[in-house]
Amino acid sequence: MARLPLLILLFLFSFIAYSQQLTVLDKATQLGIAKATILSQNSKSTLSTNAQGQVRLEAEAASERLIIDHPSYKPVLVAGITADTTVYLTEQIIEIDEVVISANKWEQDREEVPNEILTISAKQIERNNPQTSADMLGQSGQVFVQKSQMGGGSPMIRGFSANAVLIVLDGIRINNAIYRGGNLQNVIMLDPNLLSGSEVIFGPGSSAYGSDALGGVMDFHTIRPAYTDSKALQAHGVGMMRFSTANLEKTSHFHVNVQNNKWSNTLGLTYGDYEDLRAGANRPSDYPDFGKRLEYIEQVNGQDVIVQNDNVNKQRSSGYHQYNIMNKLSYRISRESELMHTLYYTTSSDIPRYDRLIERDENDVLVNAEWYYGPQEFLLNAITFSNYSTNFFYDGAKVILSNQRVKESRNDRKYQSTNFRSRSEEVDVYALNVDLDKKISDKSELYYGLELLYNDVSSSAYLKDVATEVVSPTSTRYPDGGSKYSSAAAYGSFKSRLSDAVVFTGGLRYTYVHLKSEFEDQSFFNFPYDEIELKNDALSGSLGLVVSPVKSLRWNLIFSSGFRSPNVDDVGKVFDSEPGSVVVPNEDLSPEYTLNYEIGVNWKIADRITIEGSLYYTQLRDAMVRRPFTFDGQSTIIYDGVESDVEALVNVGEAYLWGYSIGLSAKLTERMALRARVNNNDGEDEVDHVPLRHTNPLFGNVSLSYRTKKLTLEGYTNFQGKRTWEDLAPSEQAKTHLYTPEGALAWYTLNIRSSYQISEKLSATAALENILDKHYRPYSSGISAPGINGILSARYAF
C-alpha cells in the first residue's frame, strides 16, 4: 500500500512521564482502532494498539518520530510525544477489510483465523443505511434472511437458522431457552444505528460459544464509550433522520457521548415507524397474481368483514413501530482497567404476523382475522470489568455479569370467531462470562474462560370472548408450571505460529446442560407425565490451519464439531404448526451434533484483486426434526376444536449439508471498486430422504462503487436462484400460500445508493432500491419484499 505522509504536530505538555499512553481513534466515529501499528523511525521498534485503540510507549520510544498505520486508514507521522495523547486517523477512500476481528470471543488478527468471517464496520452501516439489523446482514450478500412479516428477519447460515445460529451482543449470549426451531425474528431487537460493527463467524462455533452455534455466530458490538486526555467534560454525538417510501418509514436516531479522562457515558435512542409495506407491481408473467393482497379482514360494528383491497400491492396489516434505547456508563479505574455498565432496552408495537394473515382454507377464505405478536420487550443489564495488565494468569481479562428480561406474546383470532387467544411468555436470563487471554511466547497465545447461564421461563394464556368480554383459561404454549434451563461450561483455545507460513489453532469446550419443565394444569391435555427433565453434556472442539506459502495467498483448513442441546421450545411446546397438525412435547429428545469440514482460500493479485472462497461439508447426527408422533397412544387429537395430526420434534439418524461461498473484490482504479459474492448450500435428511428446511437457494450480490473524499456512489444487484417444488422441505411444501406451483422463483433487483459528506459535520445518503419494481419473495418468506423504494437520510455529527 502506498503511504500517504501526513504531518500532525502534537502539543507539548509541561511534564515528561516515564511512559505515555497513545490512543488511536477513528476521526469520524471517535472509536478506538485496534491493531494500528506504531513504528518508531529511529529504533524501528513496532507496537500495536489494543482493542480500545491504546498502546503504552516507553519514554525513549515516545520521544521519537512515530508512524501510525492501519490498512483501512491513511498513515500519520507524529513528532515525539511527552504526555498521554490521542491521534485521529482518517479512513482510506478505497476500503480495505479490517485486520482485527472478535472471532471466538477474543480480538485476533483476521489473517490468523481459519474460519470464514464477515465483518461489517460502522462505516459500512452508515453508508448502507439499513432499516433493521436483519437488513444489515442481508445487505452483505453472505447471509440469507427470511421474513415472516415486515417486523422481523430470520438469518439462515449454512443451512441452519433460528435456535441453531447464535446471537451475541457485546460478548453476551442473546439466545434464550424459548428460541424456536422455525424461523426466528428476534434479530431486529438489535439496532444497527447503535452498533460500532458486527461480525458473522460461519460454521460451528460450539468450541467457544457452546450450544446453538451450529451454523454460525452473529457477533454484534454496540457503540463503545470513548475518553479524552483532560479532566474537563466534553461531548460529541450524532443525530440521524431517515425516510423510506416503500413503507413510509420515519426513523429518528441520536446518540451522545459525554466524557473526560476518567468517565464516559454514551446514550442512544432510535425510534422507527413503519406503515404497511408496498410490494413490487412487476410480477412474473406466468404468475400475474402471485403475492397480491386482494382482500383483508376488518371489524365493523363488532363483526368481521372481508374488505377488498384498493391497492393489491399494499400488504395490509404489516406495519409496526419500535423503540431502541441504550446507555453505557464506563469508568477508567486505571490505564489497564475499566468498569462499564450497559443498559439496552427495546420494545415495539404489536407486530402483525403477515404470513398467517394471508392463509386461506380449502374454500379459499381467509383463515385468521387477527394474528400478531404483542410488544416484544427486551431489557439487558450488564456490568463488564476489563483489565489489560500482564501477570502470570493473563494479559487481558474480561468479566461480564448480565441479566436479560424478555417478554413476548402471540395473539390470534380466527375469521368470524369470537374467541381471541393470547399466549404470553416471560424469560429471565442470568449469566456470568469470564474470558482471558495469555501470550505464552512470541509465537503462541492461549484464550480461555468459563460461562454460567440460567434461564427462568414462565408461560400464561387466556381466551377472551370479544362479544361478551368473558375471559377464560386456555392451554399455555410452554409448560404452565414453569421451566428452568441452566448450563455451565469451560473452554479454551490455543493459537501457535508454527512458522512464518503456518498458524495452528485448536479449541475445546465442555458444556453441561440441565432442563426441567413442570406441567400443573392437566385439564387441556392429559400428559402422561408431570414434568420433563433432561441432563446433557457435550465436548466440542475445533482444529484449524492457516497456511500462507506466499504473502498474497492464504489457505484455511478447519475441522470443527458442534452441538445443540434441546431447549424449552424443543421439549415442552404445544403449538399448532399448521392447520390440522399440532406439535406436542417429547420427553425423550436428545442433543443434535455436527461435524464440519471446511477449506477456504484468499488470493490477492497485485494488491488490486482479491479472490476468496470456502467449501464446506457438514454431517448432522441426531438432528431434531418434526415428524409424525403419538400422544397418549393416539396419532390425532382435538386441538382448539379441530382434529389435528400429532407431530413432535424427534432425533433422526443422519443428515448432511454442503455448500460454498465465493467472493471477488477488485480495485479497478484509485476511486472505483468492484465486489461480488455468490453463496449456495443444500442438504438432505438421510433417513427420510427429504430436503432440509433451512438450506437456501443460490444467492448473492454484485456491486460497483465509486468513492471520492466526499462522495460514495454505488450501483448493485441482489439476486436469488430458483428452488423447485420438489426441492422444498415437507414443512415448506405445506405452506402453499407462500409459493408458486414451481416453488420459490428466481429474482434479481437493480439498485443504486450514494452518500455525500456535505460538511465536516453533515452528511446525507440517498438510495433507490428495486428500480424495476419487481415483485419477489425471498425463499421461505411470508411477506413479499419492498417494491421500488426511495430512501433519504441526513446525519449530523456534533
Side-chain angles (χ1 to χ4, degrees), residues 410 412 419-424 459-464 471-480 521-525 574 639-641:
R410 293 164 174 81
D412 65 281
N419 287 327
F420 172 83
R421 180 178 60 178
S422 179
R423 288 186 167 122
S424 299
S459 294
S460 59
Y462 68 86
L463 282 178
K464 180 180 179 180
V471 176
S472 58
T474 189
S475 60
T476 55
R477 179 177 173 88
Y478 301 117
D480 59 332
D521 189 345
Q522 298 278 3
S523 59
F524 299 102
F525 300 101
V574 179
Y639 180 76
D640 284 347

PDB file of all heavy atoms in Angstrom, residues 410 412 419-424 459-464 471-480 521-525 574 639-641:
ATOM      1  N   ARG A 410     -48.143 -14.075  21.752  1.00  0.00           N
ATOM      2  CA  ARG A 410     -48.752 -14.414  20.466  1.00  0.00           C
ATOM      3  C   ARG A 410     -50.255 -14.317  20.632  1.00  0.00           C
ATOM      4  O   ARG A 410     -50.816 -14.883  21.580  1.00  0.00           O
ATOM      5  CB  ARG A 410     -48.333 -15.827  20.035  1.00  0.00           C
ATOM      6  CG  ARG A 410     -46.861 -15.939  19.721  1.00  0.00           C
ATOM      7  CD  ARG A 410     -46.408 -17.383  19.687  1.00  0.00           C
ATOM      8  NE  ARG A 410     -45.022 -17.491  19.250  1.00  0.00           N
ATOM      9  CZ  ARG A 410     -43.973 -17.290  20.035  1.00  0.00           C
ATOM     10  NH1 ARG A 410     -44.159 -16.974  21.311  1.00  0.00           N
ATOM     11  NH2 ARG A 410     -42.750 -17.409  19.570  1.00  0.00           N
ATOM     12  N   ASP A 412     -54.149 -14.351  18.568  1.00  0.00           N
ATOM     13  CA  ASP A 412     -54.816 -14.690  17.316  1.00  0.00           C
ATOM     14  C   ASP A 412     -56.314 -14.896  17.536  1.00  0.00           C
ATOM     15  O   ASP A 412     -56.776 -15.200  18.642  1.00  0.00           O
ATOM     16  CB  ASP A 412     -54.199 -15.957  16.706  1.00  0.00           C
ATOM     17  CG  ASP A 412     -54.411 -17.184  17.559  1.00  0.00           C
ATOM     18  OD1 ASP A 412     -53.673 -17.354  18.556  1.00  0.00           O
ATOM     19  OD2 ASP A 412     -55.314 -17.975  17.249  1.00  0.00           O
ATOM     20  N   ASN A 419     -63.628 -15.952  19.760  1.00  0.00           N
ATOM     21  CA  ASN A 419     -62.596 -16.386  20.703  1.00  0.00           C
ATOM     22  C   ASN A 419     -61.235 -15.793  20.334  1.00  0.00           C
ATOM     23  O   ASN A 419     -60.634 -16.173  19.323  1.00  0.00           O
ATOM     24  CB  ASN A 419     -62.495 -17.911  20.726  1.00  0.00           C
ATOM     25  CG  ASN A 419     -63.665 -18.551  21.437  1.00  0.00           C
ATOM     26  OD1 ASN A 419     -64.207 -17.985  22.386  1.00  0.00           O
ATOM     27  ND2 ASN A 419     -64.085 -19.728  20.973  1.00  0.00           N
ATOM     28  N   PHE A 420     -60.815 -14.860  21.153  1.00  0.00           N
ATOM     29  CA  PHE A 420     -59.487 -14.263  20.990  1.00  0.00           C
ATOM     30  C   PHE A 420     -58.537 -14.968  21.952  1.00  0.00           C
ATOM     31  O   PHE A 420     -58.801 -15.051  23.153  1.00  0.00           O
ATOM     32  CB  PHE A 420     -59.542 -12.772  21.298  1.00  0.00           C
ATOM     33  CG  PHE A 420     -58.191 -12.102  21.344  1.00  0.00           C
ATOM     34  CD1 PHE A 420     -57.576 -11.693  20.185  1.00  0.00           C
ATOM     35  CD2 PHE A 420     -57.553 -11.885  22.564  1.00  0.00           C
ATOM     36  CE1 PHE A 420     -56.333 -11.072  20.225  1.00  0.00           C
ATOM     37  CE2 PHE A 420     -56.315 -11.267  22.618  1.00  0.00           C
ATOM     38  CZ  PHE A 420     -55.705 -10.860  21.439  1.00  0.00           C
ATOM     39  N   ARG A 421     -57.426 -15.499  21.440  1.00  0.00           N
ATOM     40  CA  ARG A 421     -56.481 -16.247  22.260  1.00  0.00           C
ATOM     41  C   ARG A 421     -55.182 -15.475  22.404  1.00  0.00           C
ATOM     42  O   ARG A 421     -54.651 -14.936  21.429  1.00  0.00           O
ATOM     43  CB  ARG A 421     -56.197 -17.607  21.619  1.00  0.00           C
ATOM     44  CG  ARG A 421     -55.216 -18.472  22.392  1.00  0.00           C
ATOM     45  CD  ARG A 421     -55.017 -19.814  21.729  1.00  0.00           C
ATOM     46  NE  ARG A 421     -54.495 -19.682  20.368  1.00  0.00           N
ATOM     47  CZ  ARG A 421     -54.189 -20.717  19.586  1.00  0.00           C
ATOM     48  NH1 ARG A 421     -54.389 -21.944  20.026  1.00  0.00           N
ATOM     49  NH2 ARG A 421     -53.718 -20.522  18.372  1.00  0.00           N
ATOM     50  N   SER A 422     -54.697 -15.425  23.642  1.00  0.00           N
ATOM     51  CA  SER A 422     -53.423 -14.753  23.904  1.00  0.00           C
ATOM     52  C   SER A 422     -52.542 -15.657  24.740  1.00  0.00           C
ATOM     53  O   SER A 422     -52.960 -16.167  25.785  1.00  0.00           O
ATOM     54  CB  SER A 422     -53.658 -13.428  24.641  1.00  0.00           C
ATOM     55  OG  SER A 422     -52.425 -12.777  24.910  1.00  0.00           O
ATOM     56  N   ARG A 423     -51.302 -15.866  24.261  1.00  0.00           N
ATOM     57  CA  ARG A 423     -50.322 -16.656  24.997  1.00  0.00           C
ATOM     58  C   ARG A 423     -49.080 -15.794  25.224  1.00  0.00           C
ATOM     59  O   ARG A 423     -48.531 -15.230  24.278  1.00  0.00           O
ATOM     60  CB  ARG A 423     -49.953 -17.920  24.215  1.00  0.00           C
ATOM     61  CG  ARG A 423     -51.073 -18.966  24.180  1.00  0.00           C
ATOM     62  CD  ARG A 423     -50.600 -20.239  23.514  1.00  0.00           C
ATOM     63  NE  ARG A 423     -51.534 -21.337  23.742  1.00  0.00           N
ATOM     64  CZ  ARG A 423     -52.136 -22.022  22.772  1.00  0.00           C
ATOM     65  NH1 ARG A 423     -51.885 -21.726  21.516  1.00  0.00           N
ATOM     66  NH2 ARG A 423     -52.963 -23.007  23.068  1.00  0.00           N
ATOM     67  N   SER A 424     -48.659 -15.704  26.482  1.00  0.00           N
ATOM     68  CA  SER A 424     -47.551 -14.821  26.847  1.00  0.00           C
ATOM     69  C   SER A 424     -46.433 -15.606  27.505  1.00  0.00           C
ATOM     70  O   SER A 424     -46.678 -16.596  28.216  1.00  0.00           O
ATOM     71  CB  SER A 424     -48.031 -13.727  27.810  1.00  0.00           C
ATOM     72  OG  SER A 424     -49.033 -12.931  27.208  1.00  0.00           O
ATOM     73  N   SER A 459     -45.003 -19.130  31.557  1.00  0.00           N
ATOM     74  CA  SER A 459     -45.971 -19.005  30.474  1.00  0.00           C
ATOM     75  C   SER A 459     -47.372 -18.833  31.044  1.00  0.00           C
ATOM     76  O   SER A 459     -47.719 -19.420  32.070  1.00  0.00           O
ATOM     77  CB  SER A 459     -45.952 -20.250  29.581  1.00  0.00           C
ATOM     78  OG  SER A 459     -44.724 -20.368  28.900  1.00  0.00           O
ATOM     79  N   SER A 460     -48.173 -18.035  30.365  1.00  0.00           N
ATOM     80  CA  SER A 460     -49.573 -17.855  30.739  1.00  0.00           C
ATOM     81  C   SER A 460     -50.394 -17.722  29.465  1.00  0.00           C
ATOM     82  O   SER A 460     -49.866 -17.449  28.389  1.00  0.00           O
ATOM     83  CB  SER A 460     -49.753 -16.616  31.623  1.00  0.00           C
ATOM     84  OG  SER A 460     -49.314 -15.444  30.940  1.00  0.00           O
ATOM     85  N   ALA A 461     -51.710 -17.910  29.593  1.00  0.00           N
ATOM     86  CA  ALA A 461     -52.580 -17.842  28.419  1.00  0.00           C
ATOM     87  C   ALA A 461     -54.020 -17.610  28.856  1.00  0.00           C
ATOM     88  O   ALA A 461     -54.416 -17.958  29.977  1.00  0.00           O
ATOM     89  CB  ALA A 461     -52.479 -19.131  27.594  1.00  0.00           C
ATOM     90  N   TYR A 462     -54.806 -17.018  27.964  1.00  0.00           N
ATOM     91  CA  TYR A 462     -56.231 -16.847  28.234  1.00  0.00           C
ATOM     92  C   TYR A 462     -57.004 -16.774  26.930  1.00  0.00           C
ATOM     93  O   TYR A 462     -56.446 -16.477  25.863  1.00  0.00           O
ATOM     94  CB  TYR A 462     -56.495 -15.598  29.079  1.00  0.00           C
ATOM     95  CG  TYR A 462     -56.209 -14.282  28.379  1.00  0.00           C
ATOM     96  CD1 TYR A 462     -57.178 -13.658  27.581  1.00  0.00           C
ATOM     97  CD2 TYR A 462     -54.974 -13.656  28.505  1.00  0.00           C
ATOM     98  CE1 TYR A 462     -56.925 -12.456  26.940  1.00  0.00           C
ATOM     99  CE2 TYR A 462     -54.700 -12.460  27.865  1.00  0.00           C
ATOM    100  CZ  TYR A 462     -55.689 -11.856  27.090  1.00  0.00           C
ATOM    101  OH  TYR A 462     -55.434 -10.669  26.448  1.00  0.00           O
ATOM    102  N   LEU A 463     -58.264 -17.057  27.019  1.00  0.00           N
ATOM    103  CA  LEU A 463     -59.221 -16.851  25.934  1.00  0.00           C
ATOM    104  C   LEU A 463     -60.158 -15.725  26.332  1.00  0.00           C
ATOM    105  O   LEU A 463     -60.573 -15.624  27.487  1.00  0.00           O
ATOM    106  CB  LEU A 463     -60.044 -18.116  25.676  1.00  0.00           C
ATOM    107  CG  LEU A 463     -59.413 -19.251  24.889  1.00  0.00           C
ATOM    108  CD1 LEU A 463     -60.396 -20.418  24.801  1.00  0.00           C
ATOM    109  CD2 LEU A 463     -59.013 -18.803  23.491  1.00  0.00           C
ATOM    110  N   LYS A 464     -60.506 -14.908  25.355  1.00  0.00           N
ATOM    111  CA  LYS A 464     -61.434 -13.818  25.613  1.00  0.00           C
ATOM    112  C   LYS A 464     -62.507 -13.816  24.546  1.00  0.00           C
ATOM    113  O   LYS A 464     -62.196 -13.821  23.347  1.00  0.00           O
ATOM    114  CB  LYS A 464     -60.691 -12.476  25.618  1.00  0.00           C
ATOM    115  CG  LYS A 464     -61.591 -11.274  25.875  1.00  0.00           C
ATOM    116  CD  LYS A 464     -60.774  -9.987  25.871  1.00  0.00           C
ATOM    117  CE  LYS A 464     -61.662  -8.773  26.108  1.00  0.00           C
ATOM    118  NZ  LYS A 464     -60.875  -7.515  26.114  1.00  0.00           N
ATOM    119  N   VAL A 471     -63.516 -13.710  30.040  1.00  0.00           N
ATOM    120  CA  VAL A 471     -62.164 -14.254  29.940  1.00  0.00           C
ATOM    121  C   VAL A 471     -62.121 -15.629  30.592  1.00  0.00           C
ATOM    122  O   VAL A 471     -62.659 -15.824  31.692  1.00  0.00           O
ATOM    123  CB  VAL A 471     -61.139 -13.325  30.619  1.00  0.00           C
ATOM    124  CG1 VAL A 471     -59.745 -13.948  30.601  1.00  0.00           C
ATOM    125  CG2 VAL A 471     -61.121 -11.969  29.919  1.00  0.00           C
ATOM    126  N   SER A 472     -61.497 -16.588  29.931  1.00  0.00           N
ATOM    127  CA  SER A 472     -61.392 -17.943  30.458  1.00  0.00           C
ATOM    128  C   SER A 472     -59.984 -18.463  30.193  1.00  0.00           C
ATOM    129  O   SER A 472     -59.275 -17.956  29.315  1.00  0.00           O
ATOM    130  CB  SER A 472     -62.435 -18.859  29.807  1.00  0.00           C
ATOM    131  OG  SER A 472     -62.270 -18.881  28.397  1.00  0.00           O
ATOM    132  N   PRO A 473     -59.551 -19.487  30.938  1.00  0.00           N
ATOM    133  CA  PRO A 473     -58.194 -20.026  30.725  1.00  0.00           C
ATOM    134  C   PRO A 473     -58.118 -20.861  29.458  1.00  0.00           C
ATOM    135  O   PRO A 473     -59.116 -21.373  28.963  1.00  0.00           O
ATOM    136  CB  PRO A 473     -57.969 -20.881  31.974  1.00  0.00           C
ATOM    137  CG  PRO A 473     -59.335 -21.276  32.412  1.00  0.00           C
ATOM    138  CD  PRO A 473     -60.236 -20.122  32.073  1.00  0.00           C
ATOM    139  N   THR A 474     -56.905 -21.010  28.952  1.00  0.00           N
ATOM    140  CA  THR A 474     -56.639 -21.907  27.834  1.00  0.00           C
ATOM    141  C   THR A 474     -55.241 -22.465  27.999  1.00  0.00           C
ATOM    142  O   THR A 474     -54.493 -22.061  28.909  1.00  0.00           O
ATOM    143  CB  THR A 474     -56.790 -21.186  26.479  1.00  0.00           C
ATOM    144  OG1 THR A 474     -56.727 -22.149  25.423  1.00  0.00           O
ATOM    145  CG2 THR A 474     -55.686 -20.157  26.267  1.00  0.00           C
ATOM    146  N   SER A 475     -54.858 -23.391  27.150  1.00  0.00           N
ATOM    147  CA  SER A 475     -53.554 -24.034  27.292  1.00  0.00           C
ATOM    148  C   SER A 475     -52.427 -23.050  26.997  1.00  0.00           C
ATOM    149  O   SER A 475     -52.537 -22.192  26.128  1.00  0.00           O
ATOM    150  CB  SER A 475     -53.454 -25.231  26.340  1.00  0.00           C
ATOM    151  OG  SER A 475     -53.605 -24.806  24.993  1.00  0.00           O
ATOM    152  N   THR A 476     -51.343 -23.174  27.734  1.00  0.00           N
ATOM    153  CA  THR A 476     -50.173 -22.321  27.536  1.00  0.00           C
ATOM    154  C   THR A 476     -49.289 -22.905  26.436  1.00  0.00           C
ATOM    155  O   THR A 476     -49.358 -24.088  26.111  1.00  0.00           O
ATOM    156  CB  THR A 476     -49.363 -22.201  28.831  1.00  0.00           C
ATOM    157  OG1 THR A 476     -49.021 -23.506  29.296  1.00  0.00           O
ATOM    158  CG2 THR A 476     -50.169 -21.482  29.907  1.00  0.00           C
ATOM    159  N   ARG A 477     -48.437 -22.051  25.870  1.00  0.00           N
ATOM    160  CA  ARG A 477     -47.524 -22.505  24.811  1.00  0.00           C
ATOM    161  C   ARG A 477     -46.452 -23.429  25.382  1.00  0.00           C
ATOM    162  O   ARG A 477     -46.089 -24.424  24.757  1.00  0.00           O
ATOM    163  CB  ARG A 477     -46.880 -21.284  24.144  1.00  0.00           C
ATOM    164  CG  ARG A 477     -45.883 -21.615  23.038  1.00  0.00           C
ATOM    165  CD  ARG A 477     -45.361 -20.337  22.404  1.00  0.00           C
ATOM    166  NE  ARG A 477     -44.282 -20.575  21.452  1.00  0.00           N
ATOM    167  CZ  ARG A 477     -44.451 -20.826  20.161  1.00  0.00           C
ATOM    168  NH1 ARG A 477     -45.674 -20.901  19.662  1.00  0.00           N
ATOM    169  NH2 ARG A 477     -43.414 -20.999  19.356  1.00  0.00           N
ATOM    170  N   TYR A 478     -45.937 -23.085  26.558  1.00  0.00           N
ATOM    171  CA  TYR A 478     -44.925 -23.887  27.233  1.00  0.00           C
ATOM    172  C   TYR A 478     -45.486 -24.372  28.567  1.00  0.00           C
ATOM    173  O   TYR A 478     -46.524 -23.888  29.023  1.00  0.00           O
ATOM    174  CB  TYR A 478     -43.645 -23.068  27.441  1.00  0.00           C
ATOM    175  CG  TYR A 478     -43.055 -22.552  26.154  1.00  0.00           C
ATOM    176  CD1 TYR A 478     -42.954 -21.185  25.897  1.00  0.00           C
ATOM    177  CD2 TYR A 478     -42.591 -23.430  25.183  1.00  0.00           C
ATOM    178  CE1 TYR A 478     -42.414 -20.708  24.716  1.00  0.00           C
ATOM    179  CE2 TYR A 478     -42.051 -22.968  23.992  1.00  0.00           C
ATOM    180  CZ  TYR A 478     -41.969 -21.604  23.761  1.00  0.00           C
ATOM    181  OH  TYR A 478     -41.441 -21.146  22.580  1.00  0.00           O
ATOM    182  N   PRO A 479     -44.828 -25.322  29.225  1.00  0.00           N
ATOM    183  CA  PRO A 479     -45.351 -25.872  30.477  1.00  0.00           C
ATOM    184  C   PRO A 479     -45.751 -24.782  31.468  1.00  0.00           C
ATOM    185  O   PRO A 479     -44.956 -23.883  31.774  1.00  0.00           O
ATOM    186  CB  PRO A 479     -44.186 -26.719  30.979  1.00  0.00           C
ATOM    187  CG  PRO A 479     -43.504 -27.178  29.745  1.00  0.00           C
ATOM    188  CD  PRO A 479     -43.595 -26.022  28.793  1.00  0.00           C
ATOM    189  N   ASP A 480     -47.006 -24.885  31.964  1.00  0.00           N
ATOM    190  CA  ASP A 480     -47.555 -23.826  32.807  1.00  0.00           C
ATOM    191  C   ASP A 480     -46.949 -23.786  34.200  1.00  0.00           C
ATOM    192  O   ASP A 480     -47.090 -22.791  34.911  1.00  0.00           O
ATOM    193  CB  ASP A 480     -49.074 -23.968  32.901  1.00  0.00           C
ATOM    194  CG  ASP A 480     -49.492 -25.308  33.486  1.00  0.00           C
ATOM    195  OD1 ASP A 480     -48.737 -26.284  33.332  1.00  0.00           O
ATOM    196  OD2 ASP A 480     -50.569 -25.373  34.097  1.00  0.00           O
ATOM    197  N   ASP A 521     -51.540 -27.858  35.155  1.00  0.00           N
ATOM    198  CA  ASP A 521     -52.937 -27.970  34.745  1.00  0.00           C
ATOM    199  C   ASP A 521     -53.064 -29.057  33.668  1.00  0.00           C
ATOM    200  O   ASP A 521     -52.553 -28.906  32.567  1.00  0.00           O
ATOM    201  CB  ASP A 521     -53.428 -26.627  34.199  1.00  0.00           C
ATOM    202  CG  ASP A 521     -54.942 -26.608  33.955  1.00  0.00           C
ATOM    203  OD1 ASP A 521     -55.556 -27.694  33.942  1.00  0.00           O
ATOM    204  OD2 ASP A 521     -55.489 -25.505  33.780  1.00  0.00           O
ATOM    205  N   GLN A 522     -53.713 -30.157  34.000  1.00  0.00           N
ATOM    206  CA  GLN A 522     -53.878 -31.257  33.058  1.00  0.00           C
ATOM    207  C   GLN A 522     -55.261 -31.244  32.396  1.00  0.00           C
ATOM    208  O   GLN A 522     -55.629 -32.204  31.715  1.00  0.00           O
ATOM    209  CB  GLN A 522     -53.702 -32.601  33.800  1.00  0.00           C
ATOM    210  CG  GLN A 522     -52.320 -32.780  34.413  1.00  0.00           C
ATOM    211  CD  GLN A 522     -51.297 -33.267  33.405  1.00  0.00           C
ATOM    212  OE1 GLN A 522     -51.598 -33.425  32.237  1.00  0.00           O
ATOM    213  NE2 GLN A 522     -50.072 -33.487  33.861  1.00  0.00           N
ATOM    214  N   SER A 523     -56.020 -30.151  32.573  1.00  0.00           N
ATOM    215  CA  SER A 523     -57.390 -30.127  32.062  1.00  0.00           C
ATOM    216  C   SER A 523     -57.440 -30.011  30.544  1.00  0.00           C
ATOM    217  O   SER A 523     -58.428 -30.400  29.920  1.00  0.00           O
ATOM    218  CB  SER A 523     -58.172 -28.975  32.702  1.00  0.00           C
ATOM    219  OG  SER A 523     -57.545 -27.730  32.438  1.00  0.00           O
ATOM    220  N   PHE A 524     -56.386 -29.453  29.931  1.00  0.00           N
ATOM    221  CA  PHE A 524     -56.390 -29.286  28.471  1.00  0.00           C
ATOM    222  C   PHE A 524     -55.751 -30.486  27.774  1.00  0.00           C
ATOM    223  O   PHE A 524     -56.211 -30.918  26.725  1.00  0.00           O
ATOM    224  CB  PHE A 524     -55.657 -27.996  28.086  1.00  0.00           C
ATOM    225  CG  PHE A 524     -56.293 -26.765  28.665  1.00  0.00           C
ATOM    226  CD1 PHE A 524     -55.745 -26.146  29.784  1.00  0.00           C
ATOM    227  CD2 PHE A 524     -57.454 -26.250  28.124  1.00  0.00           C
ATOM    228  CE1 PHE A 524     -56.336 -25.019  30.326  1.00  0.00           C
ATOM    229  CE2 PHE A 524     -58.052 -25.119  28.657  1.00  0.00           C
ATOM    230  CZ  PHE A 524     -57.495 -24.505  29.766  1.00  0.00           C
ATOM    231  N   PHE A 525     -54.673 -30.992  28.366  1.00  0.00           N
ATOM    232  CA  PHE A 525     -54.001 -32.165  27.811  1.00  0.00           C
ATOM    233  C   PHE A 525     -53.650 -33.092  28.967  1.00  0.00           C
ATOM    234  O   PHE A 525     -53.035 -32.664  29.944  1.00  0.00           O
ATOM    235  CB  PHE A 525     -52.717 -31.770  27.059  1.00  0.00           C
ATOM    236  CG  PHE A 525     -52.957 -30.834  25.922  1.00  0.00           C
ATOM    237  CD1 PHE A 525     -52.707 -29.483  26.050  1.00  0.00           C
ATOM    238  CD2 PHE A 525     -53.448 -31.306  24.712  1.00  0.00           C
ATOM    239  CE1 PHE A 525     -52.931 -28.616  25.005  1.00  0.00           C
ATOM    240  CE2 PHE A 525     -53.675 -30.442  23.661  1.00  0.00           C
ATOM    241  CZ  PHE A 525     -53.425 -29.097  23.799  1.00  0.00           C
ATOM    242  N   VAL A 574     -46.388 -26.920  23.118  1.00  0.00           N
ATOM    243  CA  VAL A 574     -47.621 -27.380  22.477  1.00  0.00           C
ATOM    244  C   VAL A 574     -48.041 -26.259  21.543  1.00  0.00           C
ATOM    245  O   VAL A 574     -48.363 -25.162  21.969  1.00  0.00           O
ATOM    246  CB  VAL A 574     -48.735 -27.662  23.499  1.00  0.00           C
ATOM    247  CG1 VAL A 574     -50.004 -28.110  22.785  1.00  0.00           C
ATOM    248  CG2 VAL A 574     -48.286 -28.713  24.492  1.00  0.00           C
ATOM    249  N   TYR A 639     -57.516 -30.364  18.917  1.00  0.00           N
ATOM    250  CA  TYR A 639     -56.767 -29.194  19.383  1.00  0.00           C
ATOM    251  C   TYR A 639     -57.475 -27.937  18.896  1.00  0.00           C
ATOM    252  O   TYR A 639     -57.677 -27.748  17.690  1.00  0.00           O
ATOM    253  CB  TYR A 639     -55.331 -29.234  18.844  1.00  0.00           C
ATOM    254  CG  TYR A 639     -54.486 -28.061  19.290  1.00  0.00           C
ATOM    255  CD1 TYR A 639     -53.986 -28.003  20.583  1.00  0.00           C
ATOM    256  CD2 TYR A 639     -54.200 -27.021  18.417  1.00  0.00           C
ATOM    257  CE1 TYR A 639     -53.204 -26.932  20.997  1.00  0.00           C
ATOM    258  CE2 TYR A 639     -53.420 -25.941  18.817  1.00  0.00           C
ATOM    259  CZ  TYR A 639     -52.925 -25.905  20.110  1.00  0.00           C
ATOM    260  OH  TYR A 639     -52.164 -24.842  20.525  1.00  0.00           O
ATOM    261  N   ASP A 640     -57.904 -27.087  19.832  1.00  0.00           N
ATOM    262  CA  ASP A 640     -58.671 -25.885  19.505  1.00  0.00           C
ATOM    263  C   ASP A 640     -59.897 -26.223  18.659  1.00  0.00           C
ATOM    264  O   ASP A 640     -60.243 -25.505  17.708  1.00  0.00           O
ATOM    265  CB  ASP A 640     -57.795 -24.860  18.771  1.00  0.00           C
ATOM    266  CG  ASP A 640     -56.850 -24.137  19.725  1.00  0.00           C
ATOM    267  OD1 ASP A 640     -57.049 -24.240  20.950  1.00  0.00           O
ATOM    268  OD2 ASP A 640     -55.924 -23.473  19.232  1.00  0.00           O
ATOM    269  N   GLY A 641     -60.531 -27.366  18.994  1.00  0.00           N
ATOM    270  CA  GLY A 641     -61.763 -27.751  18.319  1.00  0.00           C
ATOM    271  C   GLY A 641     -61.564 -28.392  16.969  1.00  0.00           C
ATOM    272  O   GLY A 641     -62.529 -28.672  16.273  1.00  0.00           O
TER     273      GLY A 641
END
